[in-house]
Amino acid sequence: MDQVAYISMKNIVKTFGKVVASNHVNFSVHKGEIHALLGENGAGKSTLMNMLSGIYLPDGGSIFIEGKEVHFSAPKDSIAAGIGMVHQHFKLIDVMTAEENVILGKKGLFFRKGESRKIDALAKQFELDVDLHKKVSDMSVGEKQNLEILKVLYQGARILILDEPTAVLTPQETRKLFAIMRKMKAEGCAVIFISHKMNEVMEITDKITVLRKGETIQTLNTAETTPKQLTDLMVGRAVDLTIERLEQPAGPELVQVQGLTVLKREGTPALQNVSFAMRGGEILSVAGIAGSGQKELCEALAGLQKVKEGKILFQGEDLVGQSPKEIRRRGISMSFVPEDRLGMGLVGGMDMVHNLLLKQYQDQKGFFLNKKPAVEKAAEIKEKLEIATPGISKYPVKNLSGGNIQKILLGRELDSDPEVLITAYPVRGLDINTCHKIYDLLNEEKKKGVAVLFIAEDLDVLLALSDRILVLANGEVTGIVDARTATKEQIGLMMMGQKATELEGTAVVENC
Amino acid sequence: MDWWISFFSAAVVAGTPLLFATLGGIFNERAGHMNLGVEGMMIMGAVVGFSVALATSNAVAAMLTAAIAGALGALIYAVLTVTLRANQVVTGLTLTIFGTGFANFLGQSIVGQSTPAAIKAFFSNISIPVLSQIPVLGPVFFQKDIFIYFGYVLVILSGLYLYKTQIGLNLRAIGENPSAADAASVPVTLYKYVHLLWGGALCGLGGAYLSLVYVQSWQTSITAGMGWIAVALVIFSTWNPYKVFLSAYLFGGLSILGFRLQSAGIHISQHLLDMAPYLVTILVLVVLSMDERKSAGPKSLGIPYFREER
């Protein structure tokens, strides 16, 4: 393209304390282009985009819009320049309606007038499905995303930045989002797309810029590259991308869940009559839209949730009503990783050794703690899982990157040699390389004969890694299918509430 | 019947300092700031207003300086919690301790002095034509002094401001999610300063009304915990300015219940009656916190905002 780049960022530098997040980064986008930013966690993608949207101030370098240099000191400067960012964590006000969220920050008007018609027209133009009078707290993730896009378009954005927009969407919602992105491209807007999902990047984008450790590695035309090349560029060396499914005969049924019903705090059911079995040496995955009961399922299995009805049989013995400690002693281990990773499981302000002690102390006698075994264990886990930390003691785990935190959490759980491993979102927000390390760990446990319950979001991974997939929709099991034969579309529909038995061509393994 | 009318009428007067302080607290908390310095800002307004009244006998000047004193107290709080992002609870507590000390020190020489006659005259009751003739409601609400009428207007204006204007929408957004407001180009820091200072000014006005009109003389530690009740009333009113009508006058009534019962010849220990407003405050907080949705205030209340936080 010969025209002047729409946005061009030159020699951008940004440091946080001692960490260099962006090191002389160059990046430019043209009109009518969908441009992907690829990179591992901590490669500086979000940092770069936060500078473009005026949230961070660059320490060095310059930003040009249509050839003219601009300086953003606040988000409002960036919005005025036509840049709109849809953040990974939506910036919406839950208690307000869609319309209120859209007109937020509007200037000049003292009293709010009916802007609805203008907003409606814009939504129609870009085929965004948003009910303006609905409260954000009542919206699905997909609706919230549409609202975010509508909001930035209303603010006059011609350059749309989408930071991992598909991480929490169903395949159907993702397709809709892509249609909107193509529409924007046709209208002459530019779209910057950040994603860890390689197939999506290959499908939707025109150009790809790869970042690694805060530096620009290369900008490529999507048509002329391959996922393999991109991953190698991201990681800096050749990587094996295939997710291996360990083919082995499933062992005996270790856990039987029968008619499990769990209530939310408000008294509405979070899980309704859920039944399934977990076998040793098998990975059973759970798919579902966020908040379909995954959290409650994990917590019920670990004894942290009050069970209204139903049984959880472990080797024939009912675990319902047993204390978490008792359940743990029997060899059921849970590594539940909530959205914020540190919320459950690890104490952010403590170092690795003390985090291990949190579980180890139970086996110790006497009043004072013996730190020695934990120190040894920490060193062992660090070695085995390749955890990058400045020190196993005196270095708070919250300062580590997400991948390393995740590895500590898993390492601690695996250390107790569990017979049942429950793991929720272990790869959430992790880059490809670290993801594969975690998959390998799960496969290793499977090989040992452990029954693994794996809750995750990426359907491609679920299909490639697991043996069977259980789909939850609104707290009900819509089906358990064989991962070898199921398709993404089938699972997507089941996530929306369609029963597996009602779908054509679905291989139902077990029906409840 | 006359006893009741006179009781309700007095409740409105007693509730007026609370009305102003609670409104002030609502503006603070809607901006995402838990300000426990209400008591301190009230008493600063009370002493400055009273001193200026003694010196000038000018009610408008007294009230204006009281508002400025409250706003200055709030400025200390705002610099610490907005710009320096200090802990809001500790800063608020400190402001209360500072304000009380400041007021008692400044008020040492005027202890026992009473409100000048010119000021009393300024705050004499005015009957509103027609409205004041309504039975019961007339004498209770419409035969009052000018400041109480100002309070009515202020409650309604505050509600309109918060719920019907763009600025109000932006302010509510800051209390809920400042980074969302920031991303929508709302100047978060400016909004926080303006509404913290405005809240402080309202607390100062409430304090001045207390010393000049309600008590009509200067006493050491004149607010006697009224600011703390106002902090609770912010929650009782569920951060809604309109509901301050109900909460402020209800608690105004509770605070005078003791005198009234005594004068009616009912003998209950004064100490027990003194406890009433505080006891009811605790009860109200317990009842409100049973319903999570209602007691949930602005979501970012008490959390400092830093744009570049990672």
Side-chain angles (χ1 to χ4, degrees):
Chain A
M1 267 178 248
D2 294 331
Q3 72 197 90
V4 181
Y6 204 164
I7 318 168
S8 144
M9 301 177 82
K10 290 199 174 127
N11 283 318
I12 301 286
V13 178
K14 175 75 186 175
T15 54
F16 293 100
K18 280 184 201 151
V19 184
V20 183
S22 296
N23 190 1
H24 298 280
V25 174
N26 292 299
F27 176 66
S28 51
V29 182
H30 290 83
K31 273 185 186 161
E33 183 177 280
I34 300 180
H35 196 130
L37 262 186
L38 270 182
E40 298 192 88
N41 297 112
K45 304 178 300 279
S46 294
T47 306
L48 190 66
M49 289 303 107
N50 277 327
M51 283 187 276
L52 194 53
S53 60
I55 288 178
Y56 295 166
L57 296 180
D59 297 330
S62 15
I63 301 173
F64 301 88
I65 306 269
E66 295 185 303
K68 260 184 257 146
E69 181 159 11
V70 287
H71 293 280
F72 298 153
S73 59
K76 66 174 195 305
D77 303 336
S78 155
I79 291 168
I83 297 170
M85 180 158 175
V86 175
H87 294 263
Q88 196 176 349
H89 305 287
F90 297 143
K91 296 200 185 255
L92 295 172
I93 318 279
D94 284 343
V95 295
M96 293 186 182
T97 65
E99 184 176 4
E100 285 174 318
N101 269 284
V102 171
I103 62 167
L104 181 63
K106 212 169 141 41
K107 288 260 153 52
L109 273 177
F110 192 75
F111 275 88
R112 289 193 262 148
K113 279 187 208 142
E115 282 283 300
S116 311
R117 235 175 304 149
K118 215 174 132 193
I119 301 170
D120 256 338
L122 198 64
K124 282 217 180 68
Q125 185 191 345
F126 287 95
E127 288 159 29
L128 289 159
D129 199 7
V130 177
D131 177 0
L132 287 181
H133 302 291
K134 203 166 174 179
K135 266 194 184 176
V136 173
S137 51
D138 298 330
M139 289 184 174
S140 71
V141 189
E143 282 176 291
K144 284 184 196 173
Q145 189 138 46
N146 280 348
L147 174 57
E148 275 279 23
I149 296 174
L150 182 60
K151 189 173 89 179
V152 295
L153 289 176
Y154 178 76
Q155 289 165 351
R158 305 291 297 160
I159 301 156
L160 186 68
I161 306 168
L162 299 168
D163 192 356
E164 293 200 40
T166 60
V168 286
L169 298 184
T170 63
Q172 284 80 2
E173 285 172 323
T174 302
R175 214 161 304 135
K176 267 193 199 158
L177 176 70
F178 282 3
I180 294 163
M181 285 165 71
R182 290 202 182 93
K183 182 93 189 161
M184 293 200 62
K185 181 179 157 179
E187 302 262 343
C189 299
V191 181
I192 302 172
F193 178 66
I194 302 179
S195 175
H196 283 306
K197 296 182 186 172
M198 202 60 81
N199 52 348
E200 293 178 357
V201 170
M202 295 304 291
E203 183 192 334
I204 188 82
T205 63
D206 304 302
K207 278 194 179 181
I208 298 166
T209 294
V210 179
L211 296 180
R212 189 204 311 151
K213 294 189 176 139
E215 293 178 34
T216 335
I217 301 302
Q218 204 178 336
T219 299
L220 313 103
N221 289 321
T222 309
E224 294 157 18
T225 183
T226 62
K228 170 80 180 135
Q229 186 196 4
L230 290 170
T231 318
D232 293 354
L233 284 173
M234 271 164 61
V235 181
R237 57 185 157 81
V239 198
D240 183 10
L241 264 192
T242 50
I243 300 173
E244 194 195 357
R245 179 181 7 240
L246 209 59
E247 296 295 350
Q248 64 179 31
E253 284 192 359
L254 281 179
V255 178
Q256 283 132 356
V257 174
Q258 296 171 355
L260 189 68
T261 298
V262 171
L263 298 184
K264 282 184 204 156
R265 275 182 80 180
E266 308 94 79
T268 51
L271 287 175
Q272 225 169 352
N273 197 20
V274 167
S275 303
F276 63 93
M278 290 170 68
R279 302 197 197 105
E282 183 199 59
I283 297 179
L284 173 66
S285 294
V286 178
I289 299 170
S292 299
Q294 296 96 322
K295 180 173 173 245
E296 287 79 5
L297 179 61
C298 281
E299 292 186 348
L301 286 171
L304 297 170
Q305 261 283 359
K306 223 172 141 188
V307 171
K308 172 112 196 301
E309 261 172 62
K311 283 180 182 165
I312 301 169
L313 299 174
F314 177 60
Q315 294 172 332
E317 201 181 338
D318 195 358
L319 292 184
V320 171
Q322 304 269 26
S323 71
K325 200 172 160 185
E326 191 59 34
I327 290 174
R328 176 169 290 281
R329 187 170 299 156
R330 279 159 215 240
I332 295 186
S333 181
M334 185 183 74
S335 88
F336 178 68
V337 186
E339 278 129 278
D340 58 357
R341 266 182 213 122
L342 288 167
M344 253 173 137
L346 294 179
V347 180
M350 287 188 184
D351 60 32
M352 197 173 152
V353 169
H354 282 91
N355 269 297
L356 292 182
L357 268 175
L358 281 179
K359 280 203 172 160
Q360 258 193 10
Y361 84 96
Q362 295 179 352
D363 309 324
Q364 289 189 7
K365 288 210 164 67
F367 185 70
F368 292 104
L369 282 173
N370 181 5
K371 257 168 85 172
K372 221 173 135 206
V375 173
E376 286 165 8
K377 204 45 101 195
E380 192 189 313
I381 293 175
K382 177 180 181 241
E383 188 80 14
K384 196 175 149 211
L385 302 187
E386 298 171 37
I387 295 167
T389 163
I392 51 171
S393 51
K394 305 226 166 67
Y395 191 80
V397 295
K398 70 172 177 207
N399 293 353
L400 295 173
S401 78
N404 287 307
I405 291 174
Q406 216 89 299
K407 284 193 223 165
I408 294 176
L409 197 53
L410 263 176
R412 186 180 70 181
E413 300 310 318
L414 298 181
D415 176 58
S416 57
D417 279 324
E419 286 187 67
V420 177
L421 177 68
I422 303 159
T423 172
Y425 311 115
V427 298
R428 184 177 260 173
L430 299 190
D431 58 68
I432 291 201
N433 204 23
T434 319
C435 285
H436 279 76
K437 290 230 176 70
I438 305 256
Y439 303 148
D440 290 345
L441 278 175
L442 293 180
N443 266 332
E444 229 172 86
E445 293 304 305
K446 175 180 168 185
K447 202 170 172 182
K448 279 194 223 160
V450 173
V452 180
L453 188 73
F454 174 58
I455 299 176
E457 285 150 343
D458 191 332
L459 295 184
D460 291 306
V461 172
L462 290 188
L463 287 166
L465 181 70
S466 51
D467 297 286
R468 290 181 301 148
I469 299 174
L470 181 155
V471 186
L472 281 176
N474 290 325
E476 283 183 79
V477 178
T478 44
I480 300 177
V481 293
D482 189 334
R484 289 167 190 83
T485 53
T487 67
K488 245 164 77 172
E489 282 63 35
Q490 288 165 352
I491 293 176
L493 287 172
M494 285 160 71
M495 282 163 72
M496 307 295 291
Q498 284 218 42
K499 293 261 191 269
T501 41
E502 297 162 7
L503 288 173
E504 268 179 57
T506 314
V508 182
V509 176
E510 206 176 304
N511 205 15
C512 313
Chain B
M1 195 64 210
D2 280 351
W3 187 88
W4 284 106
I5 290 175
S6 124
F7 173 68
F8 284 133
S9 174
V12 168
V13 179
T16 296
L18 282 174
L19 180 132
F20 278 80
T22 308
L23 278 179
I26 287 177
F27 280 110
N28 277 200
E29 299 202 7
R30 283 289 187 175
H33 282 251
M34 181 82 213
N35 193 346
L36 297 183
V38 172
E39 172 94 358
M41 296 186 291
M42 274 183 91
I43 201 165
M44 284 167 81
V47 74
V48 170
F50 203 87
S51 303
V52 171
L54 283 180
T56 65
S57 288
N58 182 331
V60 177
M63 281 302 177
L64 267 181
T65 46
I68 291 169
L72 283 178
L75 182 65
I76 303 174
Y77 175 88
V79 170
L80 281 165
T81 59
V82 180
T83 306
L84 302 175
R85 291 185 281 274
N87 181 299
Q88 295 181 6
V89 171
V90 176
T91 310
L93 284 174
T94 314
L95 178 57
T96 287
I97 297 167
F98 166 76
T100 309
F102 168 85
N104 288 343
F105 174 72
L106 211 69
Q108 257 174 350
S109 57
I110 55 167
V111 171
Q113 299 236 35
S114 51
T115 309
I119 306 257
K120 278 186 188 161
F122 183 85
F123 287 112
S124 58
N125 289 346
I126 305 161
S127 290
I128 295 197
V130 186
L131 288 178
S132 60
Q133 301 310 315
I134 305 171
V136 187
L137 289 183
V140 171
F141 289 109
F142 301 109
Q143 296 174 12
K144 286 283 175 295
D145 66 59
I146 188 160
F147 198 72
I148 290 180
Y149 297 136
F150 175 50
Y152 301 163
V153 175
L154 197 68
V155 164
I156 292 164
L157 285 181
S158 299
L160 290 174
Y161 177 81
L162 205 54
Y163 296 115
K164 297 288 177 204
T165 72
Q166 180 70 43
I167 301 172
L169 177 73
N170 295 351
L171 175 66
R172 282 185 287 136
I174 288 171
E176 291 291 332
N177 184 348
S179 85
D182 197 5
S185 71
V186 178
V188 175
T189 306
L190 177 70
Y191 266 72
K192 286 194 166 195
Y193 265 94
V194 167
H195 291 96
L196 284 173
L197 261 58
W198 172 237
L202 290 181
C203 293
L205 282 177
Y209 185 82
L210 178 74
S211 61
L212 282 173
V213 187
Y214 184 56
V215 180
Q216 299 199 340
S217 77
W218 180 256
Q219 300 166 0
T220 305
S221 296
I222 193 166
T223 45
M226 206 170 243
W228 292 109
I229 293 186
V231 169
L233 289 189
V234 172
I235 304 171
F236 184 50
S237 317
T238 59
W239 296 268
N240 179 336
Y242 296 127
K243 290 192 191 161
V244 176
F245 266 136
L246 176 73
S247 56
Y249 297 147
L250 174 69
F251 277 74
L254 281 171
S255 71
I256 56 164
L257 193 63
F259 308 110
R260 292 282 155 166
L261 286 181
Q262 261 178 358
S263 61
I266 300 164
H267 291 288
I268 301 174
S269 162
Q270 182 60 36
H271 298 295
L272 276 177
L273 287 167
D274 283 347
M275 278 189 247
Y278 304 94
L279 208 61
V280 175
T281 304
I282 293 172
L283 279 176
V284 161
L285 291 181
V286 168
V287 171
L288 274 174
S289 52
M290 283 194 228
D291 186 344
E292 231 172 87
R293 269 171 311 152
K294 276 203 181 140
S295 62
K299 215 178 267 168
S300 296
L301 187 60
I303 306 166
Y305 176 60
F306 176 42
R307 185 189 288 158
E308 296 212 8
E309 189 143 42
R310 294 228 288 172

